[in-house]
Amino acid sequence: DQQVKQNSPSLSVQEGRISILNCDYTNSMFDYFLWYKKYPAEGPTFLISISSIKDKNEDGRFTVFLNKSAKHLSLHIVPSQPGDSAVYFCAATGGATNKLIFGTGTLLAVQP
Amino acid sequence: GAVVSQHPSWVICKSGTSVKIECRSLDFQATTMFWYRQFPKQSLMLMATSNEGSKATYEQGVEKDKFLINHASLTLSTLTVTSAHPEDSSFYICSARLAGAAEQYFGPGTRLTVT
């Protein structure tokens, strides 16, 4: 049972445009959500997070939106840069667990 | 801040031998550390959760006698792959978390190849 889903395995965007990465979850007990960026053969790097009491959190070029009723969150990167090319994982936690439940990742390619 | 290191970054060993991987939080004390495994083109699979000074909690399907985890201090956790087999070849990643925080900070990973 995949509790956190990233339905787009890949996304290609032109440099300077907006990248929108999507994530859906099924467990209503999740109350904290995170986005990580990962390059091949490296560990994930924490990008941004959001608590369920908020619907938006912004940090520089990165903004995360949370729609609790739809159990959906998205990461917006604007403007996109070639260095943003990586795999992006969303993760969720909450309820009785202290574990992060990861999505399957979306490979973002930002074309120069 | 929140830097996690792993050693070694890659290791090749022969089938039947044991390999130890170290995970250190360099600039913070981690009450909880996690060990993950990643297969090619797949997501991170949590293997176990370790709390300093207590036994690790293993996920279903992970053999605790094969993957020995020790969390002896607030800055160090080790994963020992015992009697390694080729199917244990993988990318192992650790993470560390501050008490009361949800964010996990990941190490750079260790590539294990068993021949």
Side-chain angles (χ1 to χ4, degrees), chain B residues 55-89:
Chain B
K55 289 185 178 180
T57 302
Y58 290 81
E59 294 300 300
Q60 191 173 12
V62 178
E63 300 175 59
K64 61 180 182 181
D65 294 330
K66 180 168 185 63
F67 298 100
L68 300 178
I69 291 171
N70 184 276
H71 192 163
S73 77
L74 287 172
T75 59
L76 173 64
S77 176
T78 60
L79 168 68
T80 302
V81 183
T82 63
S83 187
H85 290 286
E87 57 265 31
D88 298 325
S89 298

Side-chain angles (χ1 to χ4, degrees), chain A residues 67-79:
Chain A
N67 182 335
K68 289 186 291 294
S69 60
K71 293 192 178 68
H72 176 83
L73 63 153
S74 61
L75 174 68
H76 293 209
I77 307 173
V78 57

Side-chain angles (χ1 to χ4, degrees), chain A residues 38 41-44, chain B residues 6-11 19 21-23 34-39 44-45 47 62 66-67 79-82 84-95 106-114:
Chain A
K38 186 180 183 300
E42 293 186 13
Chain B
Q6 269 183 254
H7 178 81
S9 55
W10 60 271
V11 57
V19 173
I21 302 170
E22 292 186 350
C23 177
F34 302 84
W35 286 94
Y36 294 82
R37 183 172 178 178
Q38 186 182 30
F39 294 98
L44 299 164
M45 184 193 82
M47 299 175 65
V62 178
K66 180 168 185 63
F67 298 100
L79 168 68
T80 302
V81 183
T82 63
H85 290 286
E87 57 265 31
D88 298 325
S89 298
S90 191
F91 192 58
Y92 293 87
I93 312 174
C94 72
S95 70
F106 287 82
T110 297
R111 169 69 59 191
L112 170 63
T113 301
V114 185

Side-chain angles (χ1 to χ4, degrees), chain B residues 4-49:
Chain B
V4 177
S5 70
Q6 269 183 254
H7 178 81
S9 55
W10 60 271
V11 57
I12 301 173
C13 71
K14 292 189 175 181
S15 188
T17 62
S18 295
V19 173
K20 180 185 282 189
I21 302 170
E22 292 186 350
C23 177
R24 293 181 186 273
S25 56
L26 298 184
D27 52 1
F28 67 101
Q29 292 187 326
T31 53
T32 307
M33 287 185 167
F34 302 84
W35 286 94
Y36 294 82
R37 183 172 178 178
Q38 186 182 30
F39 294 98
K41 297 185 179 181
Q42 292 190 24
S43 187
L44 299 164
M45 184 193 82
L46 179 65
M47 299 175 65
T49 302

Side-chain angles (χ1 to χ4, degrees), chain A residues 17-87:
Chain A
R17 306 294 288 268
I18 185 171
S19 295
I20 300 176
L21 299 123
N22 294 303
C23 180
D24 297 294
Y25 62 97
T26 58
N27 190 335
S28 57
M29 296 301 291
F30 289 149
D31 59 10
Y32 200 79
F33 305 88
L34 308 90
W35 283 95
Y36 285 85
K37 174 182 178 180
K38 186 180 183 300
Y39 294 114
E42 293 186 13
T45 301
F46 170 70
L47 277 177
I48 193 169
S49 61
I50 189 167
S51 163
S52 61
I53 63 173
K54 294 185 175 182
D55 54 20
K56 177 183 175 181
N57 189 26
E58 189 173 356
D59 183 2
R61 296 186 298 116
F62 303 92
T63 303
V64 56
F65 295 92
L66 176 63
N67 182 335
K68 289 186 291 294
S69 60
K71 293 192 178 68
H72 176 83
L73 63 153
S74 61
L75 174 68
H76 293 209
I77 307 173
V78 57
S80 302
Q81 299 172 353
D84 296 329
S85 298
V87 176

